[in-house]
Amino acid sequence: MTPHPRNAHIKGEPQLPNRFIFGDAVDESGLEATEYLVHTAAPAFVCRLVGNDFTDFAGRDEDEFASALLFDVDGNRSIYVCNRGLRLFDFNFSGEPPTAARLQAICDEAIACYQRLHEAYAEREVGPKAREMRQGPTEPLPPAERSRAIRTLRDAARAAAQDPIHRAGFAAQVQQALMGGDQAVFTEAQLSLLGEPVARALLVNSARDAIAFPEVVRADGSVMSFELWALPFAFSRAQGGVWWHFPLLERLETPLADALDVPEKAILWISPTLFTVDMLNERACQNLMHLAGVMDAGCDFAPLDPESSRATYEAARKTQDPQLVISWLPFLVERGALPVEQARQLSRKALDAVMPLVQQAIGAEMEYGEAELFAPLPWWESLQAGVRAWNRKRLGLTVALIATRVGGLQDLEAVAEYQPEMQGYEVGLKLRGSEELLARSPWLVVPDVAPDKDATWQDLCDCLREADIPLSETIVKLH
């Protein structure tokens, strides 16, 4: 853009404004007590508008809409009234004044527009309309049928690893196993291949791709290809329990797509369902296979039964249980519409655009303390980045508090013990030569279809090595 010369003739915009414009005005005393109506078309005029008007006229008590244009002899002015309790007065015309019938017709249209405006305001305040919530199947198979399904999937992975011809249909077999209601089929199949790393890697990577790059077959036979992304979201809570469905998150779609420069006609849908580590671990991320199909149908995905989950949350929130929660806000993007490098470059712009909306949406359903939103990333990268940041933040805060108490890090050492129930390690910190633990901190495994405990241990070792804190592992022996 270039500055206008001072003597330049200003051109008007080709796009005309709305015919009726409503708004407030301020004077020396502050906000005026009346609103204003501007009629931009001929006959153009400005007038004042007030509500709660009960001026008597012939149609005041009618059920149908009625109005009248009255003349105030004492004030020497025209007044428009209607049985909706609204009054227009102080008409200032910029051209030739219209006839009384013409002005009354224009004011009737203005009142109808004003009511639609307030309905839009009310709808925006209430939030989006409630959508149907759908759950994925969770029916476990009978033992014999489950064993047969596990063997079939395992043998298919072996065949695909040995012969590329079998790989064409292998992806569909993996997708079918994940879409079923028994998560043990895939889990047991990949565990049975621990001694065959090539076949197991093919099976696990196929499952990850099926979740990260879902395809939806619509009723008309067309196929839509998506990519699953997420915004990691960490927050603190003073109460117990965590809620997971936030309808107002739907408002993020347009500003997020604009901030990330997603093409105008490309799809970007954000899920109003928040996923925590516990929710993802409960079904080893397998229920995410249903997310794209549910969202494409215009519904919200429910990873848990909504009614029982809400009752549990309402009971838990009455307790005092300070906690720091790491979670993810998934969103679907039409495949190819958002290059990873473009998302990285625009991540700060995206976070600035959506963070206030995220806080408003979460705050409308659940009390929380401090919150932090991380850059949008493809699904599996987002899980890894979120857990990595959360682990380091928790451990760093714990170490800092102990270092302040004992006068530094030089005498600290760490002992870690794997806790299956929390899907992670419990890291204990103590002084060298002492058996008394000064504090404990969790170090979580990244949620996955096949969680990698060894990678989590290596990440913990690397983190403590950077802090120059010795680390040892306690292995529980079961007798």
Side-chain angles (χ1 to χ4, degrees):
M1 294 186 183
T2 59
H4 264 301
R6 296 177 63 86
N7 59 348
H9 291 282
I10 304 299
K11 296 180 180 180
E13 294 292 337
Q15 183 175 355
L16 295 177
N18 194 294
R19 182 181 173 190
F20 299 106
I21 300 175
F22 302 90
D24 296 315
V26 293
D27 56 18
E28 295 78 5
S29 303
L31 191 67
E32 289 193 24
T34 61
E35 291 184 72
Y36 280 86
L37 161 64
V38 180
H39 184 235
T40 61
F45 63 85
V46 179
C47 67
R48 287 185 169 87
L49 182 154
V50 293
N52 297 320
D53 177 78
F54 300 101
T55 303
D56 188 32
F57 70 98
R60 168 63 63 188
D61 298 327
E62 293 184 11
D63 294 331
E64 298 295 326
F65 178 79
S67 66
L69 191 67
L70 309 177
F71 182 72
D72 180 6
V73 178
D74 295 334
N76 191 30
R77 60 180 183 174
S78 299
I79 298 174
Y80 169 89
V81 293
C82 66
N83 59 354
R84 296 295 183 264
L86 298 171
R87 176 161 55 105
L88 302 175
F89 60 101
D90 287 355
F91 291 91
N92 285 269
F93 298 95
S94 59
E96 186 68 23
T99 64
R102 175 66 175 147
L103 180 59
Q104 182 176 349
I106 294 173
C107 292
D108 287 345
E109 295 179 60
I111 295 302
C113 183
Y114 186 75
Q115 290 179 315
R116 290 199 306 272
L117 178 65
H118 276 262
E119 288 173 1
Y121 283 152
E123 184 177 346
R124 186 178 66 180
E125 292 301 320
V126 170
K129 294 181 180 179
R131 301 195 300 194
E132 179 187 352
M133 296 189 69
R134 294 185 182 178
Q135 291 181 270
T138 56
E139 285 290 330
L141 297 173
E145 191 175 344
R146 173 189 285 179
S147 299
R148 187 163 53 252
I150 292 171
R151 287 196 304 270
T152 300
L153 187 59
R154 180 189 60 203
D155 294 343
R158 287 171 174 165
Q162 295 172 1
D163 188 352
I165 295 178
H166 290 87
R167 295 184 185 178
F170 178 62
Q173 287 181 275
V174 174
Q175 183 174 352
Q176 185 177 2
L178 295 175
M179 293 287 285
D182 193 339
Q183 71 181 69
V185 172
F186 177 86
T187 301
E188 294 296 331
Q190 62 91 6
L191 289 175
S192 68
L193 293 172
L194 285 174
E196 304 173 56
V198 176
R200 182 175 182 270
L202 182 61
L203 176 59
V204 171
N205 290 334
S206 295
R208 289 171 177 161
D209 287 345
I211 291 172
F213 305 103
E215 293 189 341
V216 176
V217 181
R218 292 177 170 172
D220 60 1
S222 62
V223 178
M224 281 298 302
S225 299
F226 296 101
E227 298 174 11
L228 182 61
W229 289 59
L231 292 152
F233 181 61
F235 58 92
S236 61
R237 263 182 63 77
Q239 295 88 4
V242 174
W243 183 235
W244 47 264
H245 185 244
F246 305 93
L248 293 182
L249 285 175
E250 295 173 27
R251 296 178 178 175
L252 269 66
E253 292 177 351
T254 299
L256 182 60
D258 291 344
L260 293 175
D261 283 350
V262 176
E264 184 177 351
K265 295 185 179 180
I267 293 174
L268 186 152
W269 288 328
I270 191 158
S271 168
T273 298
L274 173 147
F275 287 83
T276 64
V277 171
D278 292 338
M279 291 162 61
L280 293 170
N281 284 334
E282 184 173 353
R283 294 189 61 81
C285 296
Q286 294 182 34
N287 56 354
L288 292 168
M289 277 299 304
H290 306 285
L291 184 61
V294 170
M295 292 178 65
D296 190 70
C299 303
D300 290 349
F301 181 66
L304 305 170
D305 176 63
E307 293 185 7
S308 59
S309 181
R310 187 72 192 189
T312 301
Y313 166 70
E314 292 295 344
R317 69 193 287 258
K318 298 176 183 178
T319 63
Q320 292 296 316
D321 181 20
Q323 54 183 316
L324 179 64
V325 181
I326 179 67
S327 59
W328 289 266
L329 303 173
F331 63 94
L332 289 170
V333 184
E334 196 170 330
R335 194 172 301 178
L338 181 58
V340 175
E341 190 57 37
Q342 175 179 309
R344 294 185 191 277
Q345 293 174 356
L346 298 173
S347 60
R348 173 51 57 187
K349 179 182 177 183
L351 294 178
D352 291 342
V354 303
M355 184 58 179
L357 297 175
V358 171
Q359 290 179 305
Q360 181 183 7
I362 302 297
E365 303 288 338
M366 178 179 67
E367 308 88 348
Y368 69 95
E370 296 182 356
E372 185 175 4
L373 193 65
F374 298 89
L377 289 170
W379 177 253
W380 298 113
E381 292 181 45
S382 181
L383 287 185
Q384 187 171 17
V387 172
R388 182 183 174 89
W390 189 89
N391 283 340
R392 279 162 171 73
K393 184 171 185 177
R394 288 294 299 268
L395 185 58
L397 289 173
T398 305
V399 169
L401 291 173
I402 294 178
T404 301
R405 193 196 319 170
V406 301
L409 304 179
Q410 61 275 8
D411 294 326
L412 285 181
E413 67 177 26
V415 179
E417 179 181 331
Y418 185 72
Q419 302 286 349
E421 67 276 5
M422 65 178 283
Q423 287 284 297
Y425 288 90
E426 184 180 74
V427 182
L429 296 165
K430 63 179 183 176
L431 294 174
R432 295 178 188 176
S434 172
E435 295 298 324
E436 180 185 0
L437 293 179
L438 300 175
R440 293 181 175 87
S441 179
W443 189 272
L444 300 181
V445 175
V446 178
D448 199 350
V449 291
D452 194 339
K453 176 184 170 185
D454 294 335
T456 301
W457 171 256
Q458 187 58 50
D459 189 37
L460 175 59
C461 293
D462 294 342
C463 179
L464 289 175
R465 188 181 302 115
E466 294 173 4
D468 199 23
I469 298 176
L471 171 65
S472 59
E473 182 178 6
T474 300
I475 300 177
V476 178
K477 295 182 179 181
L478 302 177
H479 299 282

